[in-house]
Amino acid sequence: MWASLLCSALLAAIAFPLIGNSLAIPASSHSFKNQLEGRDDLEKRDELDKPPIYPPFSEDTQNKHLRFDYPWMHWRSRPWEEGYYPIHCVHEAQFNNLWILDFQVRDVWFEDCGVPWTVCRHKDAKEKWYSILDTLSQVPVGMRQYVANLVILPGPIDGGQGFTIQAAAYTRGSVLVFSPTYFKLGVLFHEITHIMDMVALAPFLESQGFPEGTPFSRTKYWKYAYGNDTAVPTPYSRASWQEDFADAGRWAMSDISRYRGLREYSKGWGACRTQIRAFQWWMMPMIFPKKGICTGKVEGGYAVKVVVVEGQNPLVSLFQPGPESREEGRKRPNTKVAGSGVAPIVLPAGAANMFFAYHGA
């Protein structure tokens, strides 16, 4: 545990001096607020018309580096009782025309949080359990705590007849879904940043008068950073403010973990410097909490018992959310965060319905 916390502390020690050294990012939230006072015109900016940096970043190189840059954390796991599944996993199996009974479910505990994460893996997924959980352990706890459930799908040719993988990787609410090819730390950072965009700064934004559920990336705070740059991090950043924020977050994580920062990936990275630094200034204190342990956890989907109805399409299942007997009540996995000593993180209105499919390089 102490080795993992030390690694997190070292990453944090690298991150915060970099953030403080940026002239474009103010030294305190008070000065940041003053700098944007009266800049409501930034809210009206709704077109990302800047080009991507050149030369472009290499996602393949980044993914190789991230495997070594971020430390593995010790974990332990336990399978769920047979026949029980998180409701989120059931929904994603149906969405991809997969039979839920082909999924395996495990709770996994990491040393930096007192509650488990629940992961669902299709039996034909190329990614093995130890690899999935090792990779998840490398996600800093301040990001990982925003993940409700992780679902690993089979590859495009592994799921049998009639199934359809709707997207290689996507986020629905706070549920992450991956086909094995895309289960990389860089894509994980991108997808979790989508959740943080909606959730992490929600209390601050509401205190500033923004409607509940407003993504941080669509406010003047992010548009100010964009406006001070001449480029965006990637071609996909131009798709929307949310994608710009997510790709800036992905590359900001490499900026703090590489000795030479983003110069290692592109000599033209400075054209998106303000977006990278802004992400670090706003998000790094949450991604690397001071004590190195979770400050909360989004609750995973509640457990349901799946019963296949005879004579119906095997992809159609009957869900029984309440225990029918005392014995079943004992078997039913508990997914509650409340009462565990860890604060529940509640998604703001509308966040549970957001959907972002990954279309990176």
Side-chain angles (χ1 to χ4, degrees):
M1 175 178 181
W2 294 112
S4 298
L5 294 181
L6 177 60
C7 289
S8 294
L10 288 173
L11 281 171
I14 294 170
F16 299 138
L18 282 172
I19 298 164
N21 288 339
S22 172
L23 296 178
I25 305 301
S28 70
S29 58
H30 180 71
S31 61
F32 202 116
K33 184 177 179 181
N34 287 345
Q35 201 161 341
L36 291 175
E37 199 70 41
R39 292 303 310 277
D40 292 335
D41 59 303
L42 291 171
E43 305 290 348
K44 299 176 183 178
R45 181 198 293 269
D46 207 29
E47 181 181 354
L48 287 90
D49 52 4
K50 301 180 189 297
I53 64 161
Y54 186 83
F57 292 137
S58 169
E59 291 189 4
D60 287 341
T61 302
Q62 183 197 35
N63 283 324
K64 291 175 184 176
H65 287 168
L66 289 173
R67 290 176 56 198
F68 299 98
D69 290 351
Y70 282 84
W72 281 265
M73 175 164 288
H74 177 73
W75 51 265
R76 62 183 177 88
S77 71
R78 184 175 64 198
W80 273 28
E81 287 281 346
E82 187 175 353
Y84 288 94
Y85 297 86
I87 190 64
H88 295 328
C89 296
V90 174
H91 288 161
E92 299 312 327
Q94 289 187 318
F95 182 65
N96 290 284
N97 289 333
L98 292 165
W99 198 11
I100 184 59
L101 297 181
D102 283 338
F103 280 82
Q104 306 153 344
V105 186
R106 300 190 77 92
D107 279 338
V108 54
W109 287 262
F110 302 102
E111 294 179 326
D112 51 18
C113 199
V115 291
W117 279 255
T118 304
V119 181
C120 304
R121 173 191 175 273
H122 192 276
K123 65 181 181 62
D124 293 326
K126 290 291 192 291
E127 201 82 35
K128 303 303 181 185
W129 274 113
Y130 71 88
S131 177
I132 294 167
L133 301 185
D134 275 350
T135 301
L136 187 59
S137 81
Q138 291 183 271
V139 178
V141 67
M143 294 187 94
R144 194 184 338 116
Q145 67 186 18
Y146 289 97
V147 178
N149 291 110
L150 172 64
V151 183
I152 305 295
L153 305 175
I157 62 173
D158 302 320
Q161 293 183 345
F163 91 114
T164 304
I165 298 300
Q166 301 292 342
Y170 61 89
T171 301
R172 189 194 307 277
S174 57
V175 178
L176 302 183
V177 184
F178 286 84
S179 62
T181 305
Y182 281 78
F183 190 63
K184 312 289 186 185
L185 268 181
V187 187
L188 268 169
F189 290 159
H190 174 102
E191 293 300 319
I192 297 175
T193 297
H194 278 312
I195 307 173
M196 296 186 74
D197 187 18
M198 293 287 293
V199 183
L201 290 168
F204 166 74
L205 294 180
E206 289 175 33
S207 74
Q208 299 301 305
F210 289 93
E212 184 180 3
T214 300
F216 177 77
S217 60
R218 299 194 68 87
T219 69
K220 59 186 177 184
Y221 302 105
W222 184 250
K223 293 180 180 182
Y224 170 81
Y226 170 86
N228 277 271
D229 282 337
T230 58
V232 291
T234 68
Y236 190 45
S237 298
R238 294 163 56 95
S240 68
W241 294 108
Q242 288 95 325
E243 298 299 349
D244 181 44
F245 185 72
D247 265 356
R250 171 183 185 151
W251 287 99
M253 298 299 287
S254 283
D255 186 50
I256 67 167
S257 66
R258 292 270 102 186
Y259 178 73
R260 296 180 61 243
L262 294 183
R263 289 188 298 275
E264 190 159 337
Y265 298 97
S266 172
K267 63 183 180 182
W269 84 274
C272 67
R273 180 194 305 268
T274 315
Q275 292 158 88
I276 300 296
R277 294 289 188 254
F279 180 91
Q280 292 169 338
W281 192 88
W282 285 101
M283 293 292 176
M284 289 304 176
M286 287 179 283
I287 292 173
F288 297 100
K290 288 182 179 178
K291 295 183 179 180
I293 58 175
C294 64
T295 58
K297 172 71 170 68
V298 175
E299 198 168 88
Y302 61 84
V304 296
K305 186 174 183 180
V306 174
V307 179
V308 178
V309 180
E310 188 174 356
Q312 290 191 13
N313 187 318
L315 298 177
V316 178
S317 301
L318 180 67
F319 314 134
Q320 299 174 343
E324 292 185 81
S325 66
R326 185 173 297 179
E327 180 183 357
E328 285 198 359
R330 286 194 299 267
K331 288 182 179 180
R332 188 180 302 278
N334 178 22
T335 61
K336 293 291 184 184
V337 172
S340 67
V342 175
I345 297 176
V346 180
L347 271 62
N353 297 321
M354 75 171 185
F355 181 91
F356 289 101
Y358 183 72
H359 294 287

